[in-house]
Amino acid sequence: MTLSALDALRDAFADLRNALDGDDMAQVDAATARVREATAQVRAQGAWRDEPAVREKLNSLMPIIDAARVRTNVLTDNARQRMDLLAAHGAGHAPLTYRR
């Protein structure tokens, strides 16, 4: 496996982390696509467990990948809480449009 594929993966996850901190959904979508492509490149390269330099590089990527995962989980939870609040507030103050 070439280390350049891992560098591309690192850069893609860094872009995703930055995009998740912003408010631009198009930027999040583009960064997600870049992570998907970089991950596919790394997977396509095959066996990497035999190379110590590759394992070391992958271990150094774990904090960046984990940071993106945590941000995604926090944003998902935040969106779910907002939707629950809107649903609870809207149901009490707005009449239902459709009834039996």
Side-chain angles (χ1 to χ4, degrees), residues 28-82:
V28 172
D29 287 341
T32 302
R34 189 169 172 203
V35 166
R36 187 179 314 113
E37 291 169 10
T39 302
Q41 268 186 344
V42 169
R43 285 184 178 162
Q45 304 241 342
W48 51 267
R49 292 183 173 100
D50 299 337
E51 300 177 35
V54 172
R55 279 188 287 161
E56 183 179 322
K57 190 118 177 147
L58 280 170
N59 286 333
S60 72
L61 286 174
M62 291 310 293
I64 296 170
I65 294 169
D66 198 44
R69 181 188 60 79
V70 168
R71 279 179 174 77
T72 302
N73 289 342
V74 167
L75 291 172
T76 300
D77 187 54
N78 188 2
R80 187 175 297 120
Q81 288 178 8
R82 286 182 180 193

Side-chain angles (χ1 to χ4, degrees), residues 8-21:
L9 184 64
R10 181 197 63 226
D11 294 343
F13 268 104
D15 288 347
L16 178 60
R17 186 184 62 206
N18 292 333
L20 290 170
D21 287 342

